[in-house]
Amino acid sequence: MDYKDLADLIFPDAKDIYYYEEKYPERNLKEGAIVTRIAPSPTGFIHIGGLYQGLIAKKLAAQTGGVFFVRIEDTDQKREVENGTTEIVTSLNNFGFEPDEGMVSETEGKGNYGPYKQSMRKEIYQAYAKYLIEQGKAYPCFCSPEEIEQIRAKQEAAKIRPGYYGVWAKCRNNTVEEMAEKIKNGESYIIRFKSPGREDRKIKHHDVIKGNVDFPENDQDIVIIKADGLPTYHFAHAVDDHLMRTTHVIRGDEWLSSVPLHLQLFHELGFKTPKYAHIAPIMKNDDGNKRKLSKRKDPEAAVSYYEQEGIPKEAVKEYLLNIANSNFENWRRANPEKSMDEFELQLNKMSVSGALFDMVKLLDVGKTVISRMTAEEVYDNAFTWAKKYDEELAKMLENKEYALKVFGIERGNKKPRKDISKWSDVKENIEYMYDEKFNEKEQEYPYQVINNKEDIEKILTLYLEKYYDDSHDKQQWFDSIKELAGEMGYAKEVKEFKENPGKYEAHVGDVSTVLRVALTGRTNTPDMYEIMQILGKERIAKRFEKAIQRNRV
Ligand code: GLU
């Protein structure tokens, strides 16, 4: 009885690994092409961290003429949720991170290197486990969970490193005959890797993001095939990323400490190692404490949050890119018109420690992103969002022609308005342009410098009677307000006002404020000339009348 017989006994039906080596040949890509992936577990909604990895992987592959694929890691079937795969794929597609290869539904995939779901690859892992057993590099372990627990307790009592290694690795010293005997007797077992490593030796490793790192070698005989016949993460990682011809493993830095084990597995399996790039997690400032953004505690960790809030996807993407490479911000400033796809992402410029997630900044990016949109785009996005999340807004937007005018105010010029950061801001932002909304509540009129009742009434009355003319262009319109200021005894120019302290009670700008407040109930609005053009004389008159009535009480 030798290792070969033992391997045949354990996996009688497994194919020869050369079958798979030939089936999944080296990819024929140009020099420097990056083949990378994300490998989520289908355990619920996709986390912002998952999206972040998706962005990085997609962009690097696209930039280099490589391949981006999605592999579903469902070897821990207890944690799986229904439709988990579909949810991941849908979220990625929604953000424009459509993979070149990978699962497209729960059971279907696209690409020549699949299946892209680990539970569908059982026989492949078994072939490679068999291959290791044949060479004496893996063995069946018959220790029960209770025995493993006893070993752990002894180690703890003796204050030594826990795990299944060296003298503690009881089953590694069984003879082939003993192993075969136990199997034939029906004892249950799992498969362990027989680590050739020694803890007192160091390995040096270069991580694309973290730089040079030193680790002790791995000496743990880790489980590679579990009792259910499925592989552990470590073994599946080696087999899959080899067969899928991944060039760069880009993953969360919680895996950095597993690198010695992974390098060892690649080596013992005879695989070429990929490059590793370990990404620092996205952090959150929680009352002065920096911690990982948490799926459980933070609503903004869920990708669905952005949709509900109406934060444009472009903004989320730009913001994530900004976290990934801090030089993106400068690039964006220098190239305000360019698509973010033109920015070249560099892995080695990613920060070694976790960047803070800053909602204020994200919303600011949102403002810029929305300011670059046409009125039509703003309308489409806001309407789509409203139909799902805000019935009242959806109703307001039904009159498209009118809404386009409202969204068109100060848009499409050099310095477009920057006052909407997310679709859920829209209602608040435009409601004064809707009479029903404007009239529905007891309107506040926050007049400023000019605030006595007579002056206000006089300004509003005179303006309509004498100065307003809807055929005025913007200059004429403004000149007429100056005239009105003059008639009221205020300075017609701000400059004049400033140069003659004490001479005037107010200036033309203060008159504008009275008009603005009476019209909109706000001190701050986009261009008032455009607002008046949209409202038209009749509605302006009604609003002034309302303001005057209110002013009298
Ligand atoms: N399923 C692993 C995780 O979610 C994947 C890590 C990797 O990218 O290799 O953490």
Side-chain angles (χ1 to χ4, degrees), residues 68-111:
F68 162 48
F69 67 86
V70 173
R71 178 172 70 232
I72 300 297
E73 306 216 320
D74 61 341
T75 56
D76 187 357
Q77 300 201 312
K78 288 192 292 291
R79 292 174 56 221
E80 196 165 339
V81 302
E82 214 181 321
N83 290 328
T85 301
T86 318
E87 221 168 281
I88 289 166
V89 177
T90 313
S91 296
L92 286 173
N93 291 350
N94 266 343
F95 276 84
F97 304 152
E98 191 181 284
D100 303 309
E101 296 172 10
M103 295 309 285
V104 294
S105 71
E106 293 305 310
T107 49
E108 235 61 53
K110 63 169 181 184

mmCIF file of all heavy atoms in Angstrom, residues 68-111:
data_model
loop_
_atom_site.group_PDB
_atom_site.id
_atom_site.type_symbol
_atom_site.label_atom_id
_atom_site.label_comp_id
_atom_site.label_asym_id
_atom_site.label_seq_id
_atom_site.Cartn_x
_atom_site.Cartn_y
_atom_site.Cartn_z
ATOM 1 N N PHE A 68 -11.792 40.752 -15.620
ATOM 2 C CA PHE A 68 -12.352 40.870 -14.277
ATOM 3 C C PHE A 68 -13.455 39.828 -14.158
ATOM 4 O O PHE A 68 -14.356 39.782 -14.983
ATOM 5 C CB PHE A 68 -12.916 42.287 -14.089
ATOM 6 C CG PHE A 68 -13.891 42.432 -12.942
ATOM 7 C CD1 PHE A 68 -13.589 41.923 -11.677
ATOM 8 C CD2 PHE A 68 -15.104 43.083 -13.120
ATOM 9 C CE1 PHE A 68 -14.496 42.062 -10.625
ATOM 10 C CE2 PHE A 68 -16.013 43.227 -12.072
ATOM 11 C CZ PHE A 68 -15.705 42.710 -10.820
ATOM 12 N N PHE A 69 -13.336 38.966 -13.156
ATOM 13 C CA PHE A 69 -14.410 37.971 -13.002
ATOM 14 C C PHE A 69 -14.909 37.909 -11.565
ATOM 15 O O PHE A 69 -14.260 38.392 -10.642
ATOM 16 C CB PHE A 69 -13.958 36.595 -13.519
ATOM 17 C CG PHE A 69 -12.865 35.931 -12.735
ATOM 18 C CD1 PHE A 69 -13.155 35.155 -11.615
ATOM 19 C CD2 PHE A 69 -11.537 36.049 -13.134
ATOM 20 C CE1 PHE A 69 -12.141 34.522 -10.903
ATOM 21 C CE2 PHE A 69 -10.519 35.422 -12.429
ATOM 22 C CZ PHE A 69 -10.820 34.656 -11.307
ATOM 23 N N VAL A 70 -16.085 37.347 -11.430
ATOM 24 C CA VAL A 70 -16.694 37.188 -10.107
ATOM 25 C C VAL A 70 -16.808 35.713 -9.786
ATOM 26 O O VAL A 70 -17.384 34.942 -10.562
ATOM 27 C CB VAL A 70 -18.107 37.784 -10.062
ATOM 28 C CG1 VAL A 70 -18.775 37.453 -8.738
ATOM 29 C CG2 VAL A 70 -18.049 39.282 -10.215
ATOM 30 N N ARG A 71 -16.251 35.353 -8.655
ATOM 31 C CA ARG A 71 -16.347 33.959 -8.202
ATOM 32 C C ARG A 71 -17.135 33.953 -6.899
ATOM 33 O O ARG A 71 -16.853 34.736 -5.987
ATOM 34 C CB ARG A 71 -14.940 33.411 -7.969
ATOM 35 C CG ARG A 71 -14.951 31.994 -7.446
ATOM 36 C CD ARG A 71 -13.566 31.388 -7.404
ATOM 37 N NE ARG A 71 -12.718 31.985 -6.385
ATOM 38 C CZ ARG A 71 -11.497 32.463 -6.626
ATOM 39 N NH1 ARG A 71 -10.976 32.445 -7.832
ATOM 40 N NH2 ARG A 71 -10.781 32.974 -5.644
ATOM 41 N N ILE A 72 -18.099 33.093 -6.836
ATOM 42 C CA ILE A 72 -18.931 33.032 -5.633
ATOM 43 C C ILE A 72 -18.354 31.974 -4.692
ATOM 44 O O ILE A 72 -18.222 30.804 -5.058
ATOM 45 C CB ILE A 72 -20.403 32.702 -6.001
ATOM 46 C CG1 ILE A 72 -20.967 33.781 -6.940
ATOM 47 C CG2 ILE A 72 -21.251 32.560 -4.752
ATOM 48 C CD1 ILE A 72 -21.051 35.178 -6.369
ATOM 49 N N GLU A 73 -18.001 32.402 -3.496
ATOM 50 C CA GLU A 73 -17.368 31.509 -2.529
ATOM 51 C C GLU A 73 -18.399 31.031 -1.519
ATOM 52 O O GLU A 73 -18.640 31.667 -0.503
ATOM 53 C CB GLU A 73 -16.188 32.229 -1.858
ATOM 54 C CG GLU A 73 -15.215 32.767 -2.923
ATOM 55 C CD GLU A 73 -13.759 32.712 -2.534
ATOM 56 O OE1 GLU A 73 -13.436 32.994 -1.376
ATOM 57 O OE2 GLU A 73 -12.935 32.388 -3.421
ATOM 58 N N ASP A 74 -19.001 29.910 -1.854
ATOM 59 C CA ASP A 74 -20.116 29.424 -1.039
ATOM 60 C C ASP A 74 -19.795 28.095 -0.375
ATOM 61 O O ASP A 74 -20.630 27.212 -0.285
ATOM 62 C CB ASP A 74 -21.374 29.301 -1.899
ATOM 63 C CG ASP A 74 -21.195 28.311 -3.043
ATOM 64 O OD1 ASP A 74 -20.034 28.007 -3.386
ATOM 65 O OD2 ASP A 74 -22.193 27.826 -3.580
ATOM 66 N N THR A 75 -18.550 27.961 0.078
ATOM 67 C CA THR A 75 -18.195 26.684 0.704
ATOM 68 C C THR A 75 -18.686 26.590 2.134
ATOM 69 O O THR A 75 -18.706 25.521 2.719
ATOM 70 C CB THR A 75 -16.676 26.442 0.683
ATOM 71 O OG1 THR A 75 -16.055 27.548 1.328
ATOM 72 C CG2 THR A 75 -16.151 26.305 -0.727
ATOM 73 N N ASP A 76 -19.073 27.726 2.700
ATOM 74 C CA ASP A 76 -19.657 27.680 4.032
ATOM 75 C C ASP A 76 -21.165 27.791 3.852
ATOM 76 O O ASP A 76 -21.743 28.859 3.922
ATOM 77 C CB ASP A 76 -19.127 28.843 4.883
ATOM 78 C CG ASP A 76 -19.595 28.723 6.324
ATOM 79 O OD1 ASP A 76 -20.363 27.776 6.614
ATOM 80 O OD2 ASP A 76 -19.210 29.562 7.145
ATOM 81 N N GLN A 77 -21.776 26.642 3.604
ATOM 82 C CA GLN A 77 -23.168 26.691 3.167
ATOM 83 C C GLN A 77 -24.146 27.063 4.270
ATOM 84 O O GLN A 77 -25.279 27.431 3.991
ATOM 85 C CB GLN A 77 -23.521 25.397 2.450
ATOM 86 C CG GLN A 77 -22.575 25.253 1.235
ATOM 87 C CD GLN A 77 -23.085 24.340 0.164
ATOM 88 O OE1 GLN A 77 -23.525 23.234 0.450
ATOM 89 N NE2 GLN A 77 -23.013 24.787 -1.080
ATOM 90 N N LYS A 78 -23.669 27.015 5.503
ATOM 91 C CA LYS A 78 -24.543 27.416 6.611
ATOM 92 C C LYS A 78 -24.858 28.910 6.556
ATOM 93 O O LYS A 78 -25.896 29.353 6.991
ATOM 94 C CB LYS A 78 -23.871 27.120 7.960
ATOM 95 C CG LYS A 78 -23.808 25.637 8.307
ATOM 96 C CD LYS A 78 -23.402 25.413 9.752
ATOM 97 C CE LYS A 78 -21.970 25.792 10.074
ATOM 98 N NZ LYS A 78 -20.908 24.978 9.502
ATOM 99 N N ARG A 79 -23.898 29.689 6.029
ATOM 100 C CA ARG A 79 -24.055 31.137 6.065
ATOM 101 C C ARG A 79 -24.752 31.703 4.832
ATOM 102 O O ARG A 79 -24.977 32.902 4.735
ATOM 103 C CB ARG A 79 -22.671 31.797 6.208
ATOM 104 C CG ARG A 79 -22.024 31.533 7.556
ATOM 105 C CD ARG A 79 -20.604 32.065 7.594
ATOM 106 N NE ARG A 79 -20.529 33.473 7.264
ATOM 107 C CZ ARG A 79 -19.591 34.018 6.492
ATOM 108 N NH1 ARG A 79 -18.659 33.253 5.955
ATOM 109 N NH2 ARG A 79 -19.580 35.299 6.234
ATOM 110 N N GLU A 80 -25.070 30.811 3.925
ATOM 111 C CA GLU A 80 -25.607 31.280 2.654
ATOM 112 C C GLU A 80 -27.049 31.781 2.766
ATOM 113 O O GLU A 80 -27.834 31.251 3.521
ATOM 114 C CB GLU A 80 -25.568 30.097 1.688
ATOM 115 C CG GLU A 80 -25.734 30.515 0.287
ATOM 116 C CD GLU A 80 -25.339 29.397 -0.674
ATOM 117 O OE1 GLU A 80 -24.584 28.483 -0.274
ATOM 118 O OE2 GLU A 80 -25.798 29.457 -1.820
ATOM 119 N N VAL A 81 -27.374 32.840 2.027
ATOM 120 C CA VAL A 81 -28.769 33.276 1.997
ATOM 121 C C VAL A 81 -29.355 33.025 0.608
ATOM 122 O O VAL A 81 -28.621 32.899 -0.374
ATOM 123 C CB VAL A 81 -28.939 34.774 2.347
ATOM 124 C CG1 VAL A 81 -28.373 35.093 3.715
ATOM 125 C CG2 VAL A 81 -28.315 35.666 1.287
ATOM 126 N N GLU A 82 -30.664 32.977 0.558
ATOM 127 C CA GLU A 82 -31.332 32.706 -0.706
ATOM 128 C C GLU A 82 -31.081 33.842 -1.702
ATOM 129 O O GLU A 82 -31.116 35.016 -1.317
ATOM 130 C CB GLU A 82 -32.828 32.567 -0.442
ATOM 131 C CG GLU A 82 -33.467 31.558 -1.358
ATOM 132 C CD GLU A 82 -34.953 31.455 -1.094
ATOM 133 O OE1 GLU A 82 -35.326 31.513 0.092
ATOM 134 O OE2 GLU A 82 -35.702 31.335 -2.056
ATOM 135 N N ASN A 83 -30.855 33.477 -2.936
ATOM 136 C CA ASN A 83 -30.607 34.467 -4.000
ATOM 137 C C ASN A 83 -29.394 35.360 -3.754
ATOM 138 O O ASN A 83 -29.286 36.449 -4.321
ATOM 139 C CB ASN A 83 -31.833 35.361 -4.229
ATOM 140 C CG ASN A 83 -32.958 34.578 -4.873
ATOM 141 O OD1 ASN A 83 -32.691 33.660 -5.648
ATOM 142 N ND2 ASN A 83 -34.172 34.914 -4.531
ATOM 143 N N GLY A 84 -28.493 34.898 -2.894
ATOM 144 C CA GLY A 84 -27.311 35.689 -2.557
ATOM 145 C C GLY A 84 -26.464 36.017 -3.772
ATOM 146 O O GLY A 84 -25.959 37.134 -3.911
ATOM 147 N N THR A 85 -26.321 35.050 -4.666
ATOM 148 C CA THR A 85 -25.490 35.265 -5.852
ATOM 149 C C THR A 85 -26.118 36.319 -6.755
ATOM 150 O O THR A 85 -25.454 37.256 -7.201
ATOM 151 C CB THR A 85 -25.335 33.944 -6.628
ATOM 152 O OG1 THR A 85 -24.723 32.995 -5.747
ATOM 153 C CG2 THR A 85 -24.496 34.106 -7.866
ATOM 154 N N THR A 86 -27.406 36.163 -6.992
ATOM 155 C CA THR A 86 -28.105 37.111 -7.867
ATOM 156 C C THR A 86 -27.979 38.524 -7.329
ATOM 157 O O THR A 86 -27.774 39.477 -8.084
ATOM 158 C CB THR A 86 -29.594 36.724 -7.966
ATOM 159 O OG1 THR A 86 -29.663 35.318 -8.095
ATOM 160 C CG2 THR A 86 -30.259 37.392 -9.131
ATOM 161 N N GLU A 87 -28.105 38.644 -6.023
ATOM 162 C CA GLU A 87 -28.032 39.968 -5.426
ATOM 163 C C GLU A 87 -26.670 40.630 -5.664
ATOM 164 O O GLU A 87 -26.594 41.815 -5.999
ATOM 165 C CB GLU A 87 -28.274 39.842 -3.929
ATOM 166 C CG GLU A 87 -29.146 40.952 -3.407
ATOM 167 C CD GLU A 87 -29.605 40.659 -2.003
ATOM 168 O OE1 GLU A 87 -30.552 39.862 -1.837
ATOM 169 O OE2 GLU A 87 -28.980 41.211 -1.094
ATOM 170 N N ILE A 88 -25.617 39.834 -5.516
ATOM 171 C CA ILE A 88 -24.268 40.369 -5.726
ATOM 172 C C ILE A 88 -24.093 40.820 -7.168
ATOM 173 O O ILE A 88 -23.636 41.928 -7.456
ATOM 174 C CB ILE A 88 -23.212 39.298 -5.367
ATOM 175 C CG1 ILE A 88 -23.189 39.098 -3.858
ATOM 176 C CG2 ILE A 88 -21.832 39.675 -5.895
ATOM 177 C CD1 ILE A 88 -22.453 37.862 -3.403
ATOM 178 N N VAL A 89 -24.497 39.935 -8.077
ATOM 179 C CA VAL A 89 -24.307 40.234 -9.490
ATOM 180 C C VAL A 89 -25.123 41.462 -9.895
ATOM 181 O O VAL A 89 -24.645 42.336 -10.625
ATOM 182 C CB VAL A 89 -24.683 39.000 -10.338
ATOM 183 C CG1 VAL A 89 -24.564 39.288 -11.803
ATOM 184 C CG2 VAL A 89 -23.792 37.819 -9.958
ATOM 185 N N THR A 90 -26.350 41.549 -9.381
ATOM 186 C CA THR A 90 -27.197 42.697 -9.718
ATOM 187 C C THR A 90 -26.585 43.993 -9.199
ATOM 188 O O THR A 90 -26.547 45.004 -9.918
ATOM 189 C CB THR A 90 -28.607 42.511 -9.115
ATOM 190 O OG1 THR A 90 -29.041 41.210 -9.411
ATOM 191 C CG2 THR A 90 -29.592 43.514 -9.671
ATOM 192 N N SER A 91 -26.111 43.980 -7.967
ATOM 193 C CA SER A 91 -25.503 45.205 -7.420
ATOM 194 C C SER A 91 -24.309 45.646 -8.261
ATOM 195 O O SER A 91 -24.151 46.831 -8.551
ATOM 196 C CB SER A 91 -24.998 44.989 -5.994
ATOM 197 O OG SER A 91 -26.043 44.713 -5.144
ATOM 198 N N LEU A 92 -23.473 44.688 -8.632
ATOM 199 C CA LEU A 92 -22.295 45.045 -9.436
ATOM 200 C C LEU A 92 -22.720 45.647 -10.771
ATOM 201 O O LEU A 92 -22.210 46.690 -11.183
ATOM 202 C CB LEU A 92 -21.435 43.810 -9.697
ATOM 203 C CG LEU A 92 -20.616 43.302 -8.514
ATOM 204 C CD1 LEU A 92 -19.965 41.984 -8.882
ATOM 205 C CD2 LEU A 92 -19.556 44.307 -8.110
ATOM 206 N N ASN A 93 -23.673 45.006 -11.415
ATOM 207 C CA ASN A 93 -24.122 45.503 -12.716
ATOM 208 C C ASN A 93 -24.738 46.889 -12.589
ATOM 209 O O ASN A 93 -24.515 47.754 -13.427
ATOM 210 C CB ASN A 93 -25.129 44.548 -13.347
ATOM 211 C CG ASN A 93 -24.469 43.252 -13.770
ATOM 212 O OD1 ASN A 93 -23.240 43.139 -13.756
ATOM 213 N ND2 ASN A 93 -25.260 42.266 -14.131
ATOM 214 N N ASN A 94 -25.499 47.082 -11.516
ATOM 215 C CA ASN A 94 -26.128 48.377 -11.281
ATOM 216 C C ASN A 94 -25.135 49.514 -11.233
ATOM 217 O O ASN A 94 -25.435 50.634 -11.603
ATOM 218 C CB ASN A 94 -26.810 48.358 -9.911
ATOM 219 C CG ASN A 94 -28.246 47.981 -10.055
ATOM 220 O OD1 ASN A 94 -28.785 48.047 -11.147
ATOM 221 N ND2 ASN A 94 -28.857 47.577 -8.958
ATOM 222 N N PHE A 95 -23.973 49.219 -10.720
ATOM 223 C CA PHE A 95 -22.957 50.260 -10.605
ATOM 224 C C PHE A 95 -22.036 50.306 -11.819
ATOM 225 O O PHE A 95 -21.063 51.050 -11.840
ATOM 226 C CB PHE A 95 -22.147 50.071 -9.318
ATOM 227 C CG PHE A 95 -22.820 50.686 -8.134
ATOM 228 C CD1 PHE A 95 -23.790 49.993 -7.438
ATOM 229 C CD2 PHE A 95 -22.516 51.986 -7.744
ATOM 230 C CE1 PHE A 95 -24.449 50.576 -6.365
ATOM 231 C CE2 PHE A 95 -23.161 52.576 -6.675
ATOM 232 C CZ PHE A 95 -24.136 51.871 -5.979
ATOM 233 N N GLY A 96 -22.331 49.480 -12.783
ATOM 234 C CA GLY A 96 -21.512 49.491 -13.993
ATOM 235 C C GLY A 96 -20.240 48.665 -13.850
ATOM 236 O O GLY A 96 -19.295 48.835 -14.607
ATOM 237 N N PHE A 97 -20.203 47.783 -12.852
ATOM 238 C CA PHE A 97 -19.015 46.926 -12.707
ATOM 239 C C PHE A 97 -19.324 45.541 -13.254
ATOM 240 O O PHE A 97 -19.133 44.537 -12.591
ATOM 241 C CB PHE A 97 -18.600 46.799 -11.234
ATOM 242 C CG PHE A 97 -18.356 48.108 -10.554
ATOM 243 C CD1 PHE A 97 -18.544 48.250 -9.188
ATOM 244 C CD2 PHE A 97 -17.918 49.210 -11.275
ATOM 245 C CE1 PHE A 97 -18.318 49.465 -8.553
ATOM 246 C CE2 PHE A 97 -17.676 50.426 -10.650
ATOM 247 C CZ PHE A 97 -17.884 50.556 -9.288
ATOM 248 N N GLU A 98 -19.832 45.501 -14.445
ATOM 249 C CA GLU A 98 -20.208 44.203 -14.983
ATOM 250 C C GLU A 98 -18.968 43.362 -15.224
ATOM 251 O O GLU A 98 -18.020 43.797 -15.878
ATOM 252 C CB GLU A 98 -20.979 44.382 -16.290
ATOM 253 C CG GLU A 98 -21.578 43.076 -16.698
ATOM 254 C CD GLU A 98 -22.337 43.157 -17.996
ATOM 255 O OE1 GLU A 98 -23.465 43.684 -17.974
ATOM 256 O OE2 GLU A 98 -21.789 42.682 -19.008
ATOM 257 N N PRO A 99 -18.937 42.156 -14.668
ATOM 258 C CA PRO A 99 -17.744 41.315 -14.831
ATOM 259 C C PRO A 99 -17.646 40.755 -16.254
ATOM 260 O O PRO A 99 -18.654 40.599 -16.925
ATOM 261 C CB PRO A 99 -17.980 40.174 -13.845
ATOM 262 C CG PRO A 99 -19.186 40.531 -13.057
ATOM 263 C CD PRO A 99 -19.959 41.533 -13.840
ATOM 264 N N ASP A 100 -16.404 40.476 -16.660
ATOM 265 C CA ASP A 100 -16.202 39.848 -17.962
ATOM 266 C C ASP A 100 -16.592 38.382 -17.906
ATOM 267 O O ASP A 100 -17.023 37.800 -18.890
ATOM 268 C CB ASP A 100 -14.725 39.939 -18.377
ATOM 269 C CG ASP A 100 -14.237 41.376 -18.394
ATOM 270 O OD1 ASP A 100 -14.912 42.206 -19.023
ATOM 271 O OD2 ASP A 100 -13.215 41.676 -17.748
ATOM 272 N N GLU A 101 -16.367 37.787 -16.742
ATOM 273 C CA GLU A 101 -16.692 36.375 -16.571
ATOM 274 C C GLU A 101 -17.257 36.192 -15.171
ATOM 275 O O GLU A 101 -16.992 36.991 -14.288
ATOM 276 C CB GLU A 101 -15.422 35.507 -16.649
ATOM 277 C CG GLU A 101 -14.732 35.539 -17.984
ATOM 278 C CD GLU A 101 -13.378 34.816 -17.962
ATOM 279 O OE1 GLU A 101 -13.065 34.133 -16.959
ATOM 280 O OE2 GLU A 101 -12.640 34.951 -18.942
ATOM 281 N N GLY A 102 -17.970 35.087 -14.997
ATOM 282 C CA GLY A 102 -18.453 34.788 -13.656
ATOM 283 C C GLY A 102 -19.909 34.405 -13.657
ATOM 284 O O GLY A 102 -20.518 34.247 -14.717
ATOM 285 N N MET A 103 -20.446 34.256 -12.469
ATOM 286 C CA MET A 103 -21.845 33.867 -12.344
ATOM 287 C C MET A 103 -22.728 35.012 -12.845
ATOM 288 O O MET A 103 -22.435 36.180 -12.607
ATOM 289 C CB MET A 103 -22.189 33.568 -10.885
ATOM 290 C CG MET A 103 -21.471 32.370 -10.302
ATOM 291 S SD MET A 103 -21.608 30.884 -11.317
ATOM 292 C CE MET A 103 -23.296 30.381 -10.971
ATOM 293 N N VAL A 104 -23.783 34.655 -13.524
ATOM 294 C CA VAL A 104 -24.753 35.675 -13.929
ATOM 295 C C VAL A 104 -26.097 35.456 -13.218
ATOM 296 O O VAL A 104 -26.921 36.349 -13.157
ATOM 297 C CB VAL A 104 -24.971 35.745 -15.455
ATOM 298 C CG1 VAL A 104 -23.704 36.202 -16.154
ATOM 299 C CG2 VAL A 104 -25.426 34.395 -16.011
ATOM 300 N N SER A 105 -26.287 34.253 -12.689
ATOM 301 C CA SER A 105 -27.485 33.985 -11.885
ATOM 302 C C SER A 105 -27.083 32.948 -10.839
ATOM 303 O O SER A 105 -25.897 32.652 -10.686
ATOM 304 C CB SER A 105 -28.605 33.458 -12.772
ATOM 305 O OG SER A 105 -28.286 32.152 -13.191
ATOM 306 N N GLU A 106 -28.056 32.373 -10.154
ATOM 307 C CA GLU A 106 -27.712 31.396 -9.109
ATOM 308 C C GLU A 106 -26.960 30.196 -9.685
ATOM 309 O O GLU A 106 -26.083 29.634 -9.028
ATOM 310 C CB GLU A 106 -28.974 30.893 -8.403
ATOM 311 C CG GLU A 106 -29.698 31.948 -7.582
ATOM 312 C CD GLU A 106 -28.836 32.637 -6.540
ATOM 313 O OE1 GLU A 106 -28.162 31.950 -5.760
ATOM 314 O OE2 GLU A 106 -28.821 33.891 -6.514
ATOM 315 N N THR A 107 -27.318 29.800 -10.907
ATOM 316 C CA THR A 107 -26.743 28.563 -11.443
ATOM 317 C C THR A 107 -25.969 28.746 -12.746
ATOM 318 O O THR A 107 -25.225 27.871 -13.155
ATOM 319 C CB THR A 107 -27.868 27.539 -11.721
ATOM 320 O OG1 THR A 107 -28.889 28.218 -12.470
ATOM 321 C CG2 THR A 107 -28.470 27.016 -10.439
ATOM 322 N N GLU A 108 -26.156 29.904 -13.372
ATOM 323 C CA GLU A 108 -25.569 30.125 -14.695
ATOM 324 C C GLU A 108 -24.329 31.007 -14.620
ATOM 325 O O GLU A 108 -24.301 31.956 -13.826
ATOM 326 C CB GLU A 108 -26.607 30.869 -15.532
ATOM 327 C CG GLU A 108 -27.010 30.249 -16.845
ATOM 328 C CD GLU A 108 -27.625 28.884 -16.705
ATOM 329 O OE1 GLU A 108 -28.596 28.718 -15.937
ATOM 330 O OE2 GLU A 108 -27.090 27.981 -17.374
ATOM 331 N N GLY A 109 -23.349 30.715 -15.472
ATOM 332 C CA GLY A 109 -22.176 31.572 -15.513
ATOM 333 C C GLY A 109 -21.779 31.860 -16.944
ATOM 334 O O GLY A 109 -22.305 31.248 -17.874
ATOM 335 N N LYS A 110 -20.857 32.815 -17.132
ATOM 336 C CA LYS A 110 -20.309 33.016 -18.475
ATOM 337 C C LYS A 110 -18.789 33.036 -18.387
ATOM 338 O O LYS A 110 -18.227 33.486 -17.390
ATOM 339 C CB LYS A 110 -20.858 34.307 -19.108
ATOM 340 C CG LYS A 110 -20.488 35.585 -18.365
ATOM 341 C CD LYS A 110 -20.822 36.836 -19.175
ATOM 342 C CE LYS A 110 -20.412 38.071 -18.373
ATOM 343 N NZ LYS A 110 -20.745 39.327 -18.985
ATOM 344 N N GLY A 111 -18.147 32.541 -19.441
ATOM 345 C CA GLY A 111 -16.685 32.495 -19.446
ATOM 346 C C GLY A 111 -16.175 31.062 -19.523
ATOM 347 O O GLY A 111 -16.897 30.106 -19.214
#
